[in-house]
Amino acid sequence: MSTNPQPSYYQVGGSLTNNAPNYVKRQADDDFYNGLKAGEFCYVLNSRQMGKSSLQVRTIQRLRYDGIACAAIDISEIGNRGVTPEQWYAGLLRILENNFNLSDIVNVRTWWRDRNFLTPVQRLSEFIETILLANISSNIVIFIDEIDSILALDFPADDFLALIRSCYNKRANNSEFDRLTWALLGVASPTDLCRDKNISSNTPFNIGRAIELTGFDETEAQPLAAGLAELTDRSGEVLREVLYWTGGQPFLTQKLCKLLFENAGLIQNPKEWVEKVVRLKIVENWESQDVPEHLSTIRDRLFRENQRIIRRLGLYQQILQQVEIVPDGSAEQMELRLTGLIVKRREKLTISNPIYEAVFNQNLIAQKLQKLSPYSEALKVWLHSNSEDDSQLLRGDDLQSALVWAADKSLRNEDFQFLTASQKLILSDQNQLLLAATRETKKAASDAETAWNEAGAAKQKAKQWIGIGSAVLAASLVGAIGFSTLAYQRFKLAQASIEIEQNGSDALLLAVSQKTENTQALSEALLRAIASGEKLKTLVNNKPKLEQYPATRPLLALQIILDKISKKQQIKASSFLQVMKWQAHAGAVTSVSFSPDRQILATAGIDDRVRIWNFFGSKIAEWKALQQSVNMVSFSPDGKFLATAGKDGTVKFWNLSGKNISSFQAIEGSVTSISFSSDDKFLAAAGIDSSAAILPLSKQLKVISSTVKLPGHNGLVRSVNFSPNGDFVTTLDGQSTVRIWNLSGQLEKTLPVQAIGISFSPVQQQYRFATVTLNGKVGLWNLSEKQLINEFQTLHFDAKSISFSPDGERLATVGIDKTVRLWNLAGRQVAQFEFEENVVSVGWSRDGKQIAVAGSNGTVWLRQVEGLEELLKQSCNFLGSKPEYVRRISTICK
């Protein structure tokens, strides 16, 4: 038998070539190929080095043999950190051009620039429909590898996933899309990839086919035995031992086979030979021998510090201890499965293979948990005593520190038990002290009473000492109890908030899942949302501000579920979630504005008309503005007049009957934005020709002196706004630059943000204004210092505007997705309203209980904005009207 076989037979890492003799075909090969050939959306999402890339190479070869055009895009090559949406989508389009040889058909650079009025995702969508499908006559499959790299983007890629879904939706009306199929491969779960956790209707995963990529079994792995046959005539036995140690994990299996080649001199019997090579060349000193990196990658994912690390390691520890764990799809389980350490076998989770078990062993995990937990030693002893050794429980500062440390983490059950037992012990100790103090006080009083007849002075002195002692003891106890109680309350509040948030999310996910298509399913989701909402109501019974709510997901769940029920016409539209809708203009509504003192609103449109409406959608007044197009309409602060900004460069003032009071040329070119100062003494105007100015006004709404110009802008000035107290003005230009000016026209500051919208809080005590960037990041700024005090990421891919509610409690953001989202100031989403047209403008009613939404096709919606109390009342009333739910909600609805 030859002892010098060719070591190149096995390949460790990287994709195998089309004709590689050591390629192992699995069930996934046929599932992936057949699914894509049939036009199904397929995705392969699992741990690294499981053979995804080799599977892709082989599948592309098979599809091309069938005449199907294929493109393989490694999405990580485009980059992530610092990449803009424009660059990212343009990169995708350029790769498609190269893969399908379209450079002779279209100049991508020119084609992309000519459509800069469209969002990047719209441009990619148009390219697919008008260029790719129009010029490639065969069926097409687009493979997206390393899809998990979108998680590192500075903007959410939900719109890209929605684009994939839309390609399948379009098949109903455009048969050309029957020819286009997508495949995703990477290390992530579908939940990870969709940043918008609330809405699943636009994700492709609920219409797709998950391809399960498992380890090699002995039958599949026979091609690997051919290489071993050059070393030993017992290659089948050797391969069996290899698969025992690797569990069929592709990378490890190829590596171990290669190591056997390189260490043929260690040959004894198959079992001893393989075990010796595993111990010497893989497990011992593994960090220095981990080339190419495999075990290091698993280590980094296993020990990645986040809120779930304690629970994740605790779960892995249980699996190591052979505790039976049933797969439930929890975040901790999915994180572990994506490391590759554990797999699902016979409906339970188990260690993937003995190599992993030897490297990531119980001692290593115990040491890591010990370093993470500030009370690990005490917990270990306490558990060893069957939870009976109270001397190990925490007290005083130790307990306080532990509670603070645990507040934002997902803990193991034993951690909860330990901390709860410590808190109970503290309270018990304090009760005993209080009891002893009471007994001593009674005894002292009794002794003093006995001594009454002996000495009146002694009696009086005893009572004085009793009073002093009791007061000191009581004060000490109050301090100790108060300290411990506060820590305990904070811990319980944090845990209750997490539970409420999770329950609200569960209700929402149930409601938006594809399976939720009937009244019963939506009602069940609503029941869950009510339960979490009632618990939240109990937590906030002292009416804190919305910003201070410890959880908000129940509000979002209740509102979205009620919306879905209403749209399915299972309740009367007038019973709750009142939404008025009417055709306000011919063509786009450019602006909508509520009167500050009456139940009316004004709208303006590209049809050059101004209309006033009541809250029932009935028209009160109408007139033609004669300004070519009315770009903006705004009530004066006292509500007695209207100002309109015209495409012709004029600003006009009107009474509420439509009579023109005054008119003047405000700036050069079309006026895009106007803003009144709070005292009606100034009007600011901005336009498309780099123009912005402050105009002093008389009581008759006429310009009484020369305007103050605000120079130095870049092209279009999107908006101009007075601060609430009128002491400065902000402008936002076409280059997304925010500038702050005093009333003399001097530039005071340029904000370090690239914004697309800006809004001031009407509540002057808050001293805040907000900005939103194109990629949906909201910034909250201090009004006096103009400094950033907080920021958070919204779910909009391309944001358009932002506006504060009148009470300063909510922010409304608008994107290109026909959706208005409401947020509290802590960055938690509290509502989501979807519309049939692109949203052009949003206005708030004076009481903040309604928003008016202007659409691009002339529609106006008047939408109620409910708080927790109203949503719970509507939900309980709805389920209370259904006989089958009366008994079930009687214990929930309060």
Side-chain angles (χ1 to χ4, degrees), residues 48 272 276 313 368 393 433 569 589 758 804 814 833:
R48 291 205 178 278
E272 292 176 357
K276 194 167 186 178
L313 293 181
K368 186 65 176 180
L393 296 176
L433 280 172
Q569 299 181 341
V589 182
I758 186 170
F804 263 104
V814 178
F833 308 129

Side-chain angles (χ1 to χ4, degrees), residues 179-319:
R179 298 191 292 109
L180 177 62
T181 303
W182 295 80
L184 302 184
L185 303 95
V187 185
S189 68
T191 305
D192 292 331
L193 295 174
C194 301
R195 293 198 195 178
D196 189 340
K197 309 302 182 189
N198 306 318
I199 300 300
S200 64
S201 60
N202 284 334
T203 173
F205 296 109
N206 53 23
I207 63 166
R209 180 178 180 182
I211 304 299
E212 188 175 1
L213 201 57
T214 59
F216 305 152
D217 63 30
E218 190 173 345
T219 302
E220 293 170 338
Q222 285 309 305
L224 300 178
L228 295 171
E230 298 186 41
L231 295 177
T232 175
D233 55 6
R234 301 170 69 181
S235 59
E237 294 178 59
V238 174
L239 179 61
R240 193 174 302 117
E241 288 300 318
V242 167
L243 295 176
Y244 162 76
W245 280 100
T246 67
Q249 204 284 336
F251 178 93
L252 279 181
T253 303
Q254 294 272 1
K255 179 170 183 174
L256 183 50
C257 287
K258 189 172 186 294
L259 287 171
L260 292 173
F261 262 107
E262 296 169 353
N263 295 273
L266 297 175
I267 291 180
Q268 300 170 31
N269 64 59
K271 184 175 182 179
E272 292 176 357
W273 178 33
V274 175
E275 181 176 359
K276 194 167 186 178
V277 171
V278 167
R279 297 292 182 193
L280 291 176
K281 301 299 181 180
I282 297 180
V283 175
E284 295 178 7
N285 300 314
W286 69 265
E287 289 174 308
S288 62
Q289 302 189 100
D290 190 33
V291 180
E293 284 193 356
H294 176 70
L295 298 173
S296 300
T297 303
I298 295 174
R299 176 200 59 198
D300 294 343
R301 292 184 74 92
L302 177 64
F303 295 147
R304 181 170 62 92
E305 294 202 15
N306 59 15
Q307 291 181 344
R308 291 184 292 273
I309 184 172
I310 298 293
R311 197 167 184 86
R312 182 171 68 246
L313 293 181
L315 175 63
Y316 180 59
Q317 190 176 52
Q318 286 182 298
I319 297 172

Side-chain angles (χ1 to χ4, degrees), residues 59-61 63-64 68-72 99-100 139-143:
T59 304
I60 289 175
Q61 180 191 26
L63 291 172
R64 283 176 174 165
I68 298 174
C70 297
N99 270 260
F100 291 111
N139 287 353
I140 300 169
V141 178
I142 300 175
F143 293 81

Side-chain angles (χ1 to χ4, degrees), residues 437-465:
T438 303
R439 283 198 299 266
E440 289 299 319
T441 302
K442 287 182 178 179
K443 184 177 183 300
S446 176
D447 291 344
E449 190 66 31
T450 302
W452 178 268
N453 294 327
E454 297 180 2
K459 173 185 172 185
Q460 185 64 31
K461 187 175 182 180
K463 284 188 175 181
Q464 289 174 351
W465 278 109

Side-chain angles (χ1 to χ4, degrees), residues 566-823:
S566 179
K567 288 177 181 177
K568 287 179 176 292
Q569 299 181 341
Q570 286 153 22
I571 54 173
K572 294 181 179 178
S574 60
S575 62
F576 64 78
L577 291 180
Q578 297 173 4
V579 183
M580 293 296 303
K581 171 186 173 183
W582 65 89
Q583 190 69 28
H585 291 267
V589 182
T590 55
S591 180
V592 60
S593 177
F594 279 94
S595 169
D597 62 344
R598 294 173 59 186
Q599 299 287 299
I600 58 174
L601 66 153
T603 62
I606 61 173
D607 57 3
D608 199 30
R609 295 189 177 274
V610 179
R611 295 183 172 96
I612 298 179
W613 314 83
N614 64 21
F615 285 5
F616 298 100
S618 298
K619 186 166 56 179
I620 298 173
E622 174 187 3
W623 62 90
K624 193 171 181 65
L626 300 177
Q627 292 177 287
Q628 296 182 17
S629 170
V630 183
N631 293 334
M632 187 172 181
V633 61
S634 177
F635 278 97
S636 60
D638 60 10
K640 296 179 180 179
F641 305 99
L642 278 173
T644 58
K647 186 177 180 181
D648 61 354
T650 63
V651 171
K652 295 185 178 182
F653 293 109
W654 315 82
N655 68 18
L656 303 189
S657 299
K659 180 180 179 181
N660 184 230
I661 298 171
S662 65
S663 177
F664 50 88
Q665 194 75 26
I667 55 175
E668 295 179 5
S670 176
V671 183
T672 56
S673 177
I674 51 177
S675 176
F676 281 100
S677 62
S678 56
D679 57 7
D680 276 343
K681 292 182 178 179
F682 297 94
L683 180 82
I688 64 172
D689 292 336
S690 303
S691 301
I694 301 173
L695 300 94
L697 300 176
S698 67
K699 291 184 178 180
Q700 293 74 35
L701 298 179
K702 295 184 178 179
V703 179
I704 56 176
S705 60
S706 59
T707 62
V708 177
K709 294 186 177 181
L710 308 176
H713 295 96
N714 300 313
L716 165 71
V717 183
R718 299 179 190 274
S719 67
V720 60
N721 292 278
F722 269 101
S723 61
N725 57 8
D727 59 347
F728 68 87
V729 171
T730 64
T731 57
L732 172 62
D733 69 16
Q735 299 298 316
S736 300
T737 304
V738 178
R739 295 178 174 87
I740 298 176
W741 312 79
N742 63 24
L743 299 190
S744 300
Q746 295 176 324
L747 179 64
E748 292 191 346
K749 188 167 186 175
T750 300
L751 295 187
V753 63
Q754 295 293 301
I756 199 71
I758 186 170
S759 177
F760 286 96
S761 170
V763 182
Q764 292 192 26
Q765 291 82 355
Q766 285 187 330
Y767 298 104
R768 288 174 176 167
F769 63 95
T771 57
V772 63
T773 63
L774 181 65
N775 64 2
K777 181 174 286 188
V778 170
L780 291 171
W781 303 77
N782 177 282
L783 195 62
S784 56
E785 302 298 328
K786 288 84 174 176
Q787 297 293 327
L788 184 68
I789 56 178
N790 187 27
E791 62 180 353
F792 59 87
Q793 182 67 50
T794 69
L795 304 175
H796 296 290
F797 172 66
D798 271 354
K800 294 165 61 176
S801 66
I802 189 170
S803 58
F804 263 104
S805 61
D807 61 3
E809 287 278 288
R810 294 173 174 84
L811 284 164
T813 58
V814 178
I816 64 168
D817 52 0
K818 304 177 184 178
T819 302
V820 176
R821 293 180 169 93
L822 305 187
W823 311 82

Side-chain angles (χ1 to χ4, degrees), residues 120-139:
V121 72
Q122 287 175 315
R123 278 180 264 183
L124 179 58
S125 177
E126 183 176 324
F127 182 86
I128 290 170
E129 184 168 0
T130 63
I131 303 298
L132 184 60
L133 288 174
N135 290 281
I136 305 295
S137 58
S138 64
N139 287 353

